[in-house]
Amino acid sequence: MPLLQLFNLRKDFGGLRAVDDVSLEVATGAIVGLIGPNGSGKSTLLNLIAGSAERTAGRIIFDGDEISGLSADQVFQRGIARGYQDPSLYLKMTTLDNALLPVKSQRGEHPWYAPWRRFWQKQEAENARAAAGVLEQVQLLGHYDSLASDLSGGQMKLLEMGRSLMGSPKLLLLDEPTAGVAPNLAYEIFEEISRLRQQHGITFLIVEHRLEILFDFVDSVYVMHLGNLLAHGSADDIASNETVREVYFGD
Ligand SMILES: Nc1ncnc2c1ncn2[C@@H]1O[C@H](COP(=O)(O)OP(=O)(O)OP(=O)(O)O)[C@@H](O)[C@H]1O
Ligand SMILES: [Mg+2]
């Protein structure tokens, strides 16, 4: 049974059909790539899965349950986390504080409880332990006290990825995890993804423009074009697919 299944998913923005009857599946423990030219609907598709955009039609099944129509919060609670195309770190905060941001209902943030340490001390310590755990997973524990602005571009992307691990997700949706990162670091980010899959059983659906790196790590690749799914196959199949080459590489 696949971890994620989409059935005839559609998204219209006014007269524009950004996602057009997309059906796909992601097997448990797989790393699946989602590629396509600019504007082909990749980010919109991730938004639909994550519940941050409302579908026009279609169904989304995750871990055996229908999640179509759930809010982004509810989808996150079910075990789907996402990274964004533009990293959204707070540069003047430390690495650890950035990792702590997604934790919900922190008592110390509540004006009523905040003045009384004993109401939130234990929770705070538990959260910090969890955050240290994810920082260790992305090899940033040694930088826990550094300002996010002092991290390298690659480390920022890793921190962002680590932060999305805070809720122990089963599925991680990543939108261009290597955007703006030097090539050698980009490769390291994918090695990290591969390690997270191996050690923590996390499943990945990854939008990426750097095909030469992506293709080294994926189990399969879906190709989108103008909102439609154009092809699905192994990295080798996709690299040698004539139609894909035409729309994607323009040859
Ligand atoms: N909120 C929105 N309102 C209106 N149109 C939108 C909105 N979001 C996306 N679109 C349009 O939907 C289409 C698909 O956009 P999307 O961002 O999903 O593409 P993409 O494949 O992620 O592209 P890129 O590779 O450039 O990130 C585009 O034509 C885009 O202009
Ligand atoms: Mg996009």
Side-chain angles (χ1 to χ4, degrees):
M1 165 103 177
L3 184 62
L4 177 74
Q5 291 170 291
L6 309 183
F7 295 100
N8 306 101
L9 206 56
R10 185 190 303 163
K11 175 64 178 176
D12 292 337
F13 290 113
L16 177 86
R17 184 150 293 176
V19 172
D20 192 0
D21 283 324
V22 168
S23 299
L24 63 75
E25 58 182 55
V26 176
T28 303
I31 298 177
V32 174
L34 179 62
I35 68 170
N38 292 120
S40 53
K42 306 178 300 294
S43 294
T44 304
L45 190 72
L46 293 195
N47 289 339
L48 294 176
I49 299 167
S52 49
E54 211 173 315
R55 77 208 189 286
T56 305
R59 295 171 69 217
I60 306 170
I61 311 289
F62 176 68
D63 211 9
D65 293 320
E66 174 145 15
I67 59 162
S68 342
L70 295 188
S71 70
D73 261 9
Q74 290 168 324
V75 171
F76 180 77
Q77 298 298 340
R78 298 289 181 105
I80 301 182
R82 64 166 307 178
Y84 287 89
Q85 203 162 342
D86 310 305
S88 44
L89 299 175
Y90 290 84
L91 296 178
K92 293 193 169 146
M93 288 169 58
T94 64
T95 300
L96 181 66
D97 282 338
N98 268 283
L100 278 165
L101 279 175
V103 181
K104 297 214 179 66
S105 32
Q106 297 189 44
R107 275 180 153 191
E109 287 174 355
H110 193 285
W112 179 253
Y113 293 113
W116 289 288
R117 202 171 227 282
R118 66 189 165 89
F119 279 122
W120 46 260
Q121 198 168 22
K122 186 160 166 262
Q123 188 192 34
E124 199 101 314
E126 279 165 8
N127 290 340
R129 255 194 302 278
V134 302
L135 289 181
E136 190 171 22
Q137 283 176 43
V138 294
Q139 333 267 2
L140 284 176
L141 191 52
H143 297 276
Y144 80 97
D145 210 15
S146 312
L147 291 181
S149 57
D150 290 338
L151 298 176
S152 72
Q155 288 171 329
M156 287 186 191
K157 295 299 268 186
L158 287 173
L159 174 54
E160 217 218 344
M161 208 158 74
R163 198 170 54 177
S164 43
L165 295 173
M166 272 299 277
S168 309
K170 293 176 186 151
L171 172 66
L172 199 48
L173 309 170
L174 297 178
D175 204 346
E176 301 190 28
T178 75
V181 169
N184 56 330
L185 281 172
Y187 206 84
E188 279 175 28
I189 288 173
F190 269 91
E191 282 175 337
E192 198 54 46
I193 288 169
S194 175
R195 222 176 46 78
L196 286 169
R197 178 256 289 268
Q198 210 148 25
Q199 294 182 0
H200 302 276
I202 299 169
T203 303
F204 288 87
L205 178 59
I206 307 176
V207 171
E208 182 56 67
H209 280 297
R210 284 170 140 154
L211 306 188
E212 74 286 3
I213 301 175
L214 180 79
F215 283 6
D216 275 351
F217 290 90
V218 287
D219 297 301
S220 75
V221 179
Y222 284 96
V223 186
M224 284 186 81
H225 179 51
L226 300 173
N228 291 290
L229 268 191
L230 188 73
H232 174 228
S234 68
D236 285 348
D237 292 343
I238 297 302
S240 59
N241 181 309
E242 285 298 322
T243 323
V244 172
R245 295 185 69 91
E246 264 167 43
V247 305
Y248 202 86
F249 308 102
D251 62 28

